[in-house]
Amino acid sequence: MGQGKKPAEIKSNITDNESAKMTTSKGTIQGYNGVAAVDKKHQVIVDAQAFGAGQEQHTLKPVLDSIRERYRRTPISDDILAAGVIITADTGFSSEENNDYIKEEGVNAYIPDNQFRSRDKAFKDQKVRKAPPKGGQGAAQGYPGQRIPVRHQAQKLYLPGRQGHVAKLRRKYIQGQKKLHFEGNLSDCRSCPIKQRCMRNPESADSREGHGRQVSITVTNGRTGTDWMKRRVDSRQGKVIYGHRMSVVEPVFGNIGTNKGLNRFSLRGRDKVQGQWQMFCLVHNIEKLMNYGAIH
């Protein structure tokens, strides 16, 4: 047994207790997450680590610390991160803790949250990808909470349908963060003509013990690390810089997975898995040197 983020015991895998459950396109598997940092100019891997965790947020700081130390040992730079090198990472690395760390350390990073596309006017007409039904119930929400307008100093929220009926404010603090939690009236949601598109579990409104549409909104003062990162990512420069990420790192993973055949780790224990991951990354780098010669 182990200790999770929440104060409750979690089950550990008896054959490899350093691994974790991973949600993939082929279902949930037990394994490791291979993380790599890639140089934009030559697509050379500058750091590679394996982590036994399904989420990536906690891996950002160890990878950045490793990059800083490697460049110091080379020696290429005493502090490559303080030198203004640009760091980009996908939404899986976004968290309040990471954003605070990046802001405090002065790292020139661009890490978007999972709602950054919805704030971009260029994607306003993009077809929304529907998520699979949760727990086998209902359809994906056609009205995401972040797109529902909040008025009167965030004390009222007008749900779509029936000229925007008002959701009740239930509580203001959830898990230590200041949040406003709204819930639509059962009577309104029960007879609403668009509840099949609005609610994840529409049948809940049909029961007296059920719930109307629920929306939670985090309230900030605009000066948090996440607010700061949102402004960076949403800026014109941020959009251009982050737009290059896909063409930098994804071909590297494609080469290792497709051309080199590493579609799964074959060892157990983090040290062995990390050794396997780093060996494949080393082969990738050797191939770069072989094909393109000395890299300057």
Side-chain angles (χ1 to χ4, degrees), residues 206-224:
D206 298 332
S207 169
R208 180 173 294 182
E209 292 75 25
H211 298 277
R213 171 66 194 272
Q214 300 180 32
V215 178
S216 292
I217 300 171
T218 303
V219 179
T220 69
N221 58 9
R223 297 191 294 270
T224 66

Side-chain angles (χ1 to χ4, degrees), residues 111-129:
I111 307 176
D113 59 286
N114 59 7
Q115 304 297 335
F116 80 108
R117 293 294 189 203
S118 66
R119 299 191 300 271
D120 192 340
K121 294 180 180 179
F123 292 86
K124 66 178 181 178
D125 296 325
Q126 179 177 270
K127 183 178 180 181
V128 178
R129 186 178 66 178

Side-chain angles (χ1 to χ4, degrees), residues 9 27 34 50 77 95 145 152 166 182 188 286:
E9 290 183 328
S77 173
S95 70
H152 302 298
V166 181
F182 297 91
D188 290 330
I286 292 174

Side-chain angles (χ1 to χ4, degrees), residues 138-186:
Q141 292 177 0
Y143 296 92
Q146 70 275 10
R147 294 186 180 180
I148 298 177
V150 182
R151 301 172 186 170
H152 302 298
Q153 289 76 45
Q155 298 303 306
K156 289 185 179 181
L157 180 141
Y158 295 86
L159 294 173
R162 295 196 178 280
Q163 289 75 47
H165 57 267
V166 181
K168 293 181 180 178
L169 176 62
R170 294 292 187 182
R171 54 185 182 273
K172 294 186 178 181
Y173 291 90
I174 303 175
Q175 295 179 353
Q177 287 187 315
K178 186 177 181 180
K179 291 189 176 182
L180 301 180
H181 182 79
F182 297 91
E183 182 176 330
N185 291 318
L186 270 177

Side-chain angles (χ1 to χ4, degrees), residues 23 34 87 98 133 215 282 284:
T23 301
I87 303 292
N98 285 343
V215 178
L282 179 62
H284 168 86

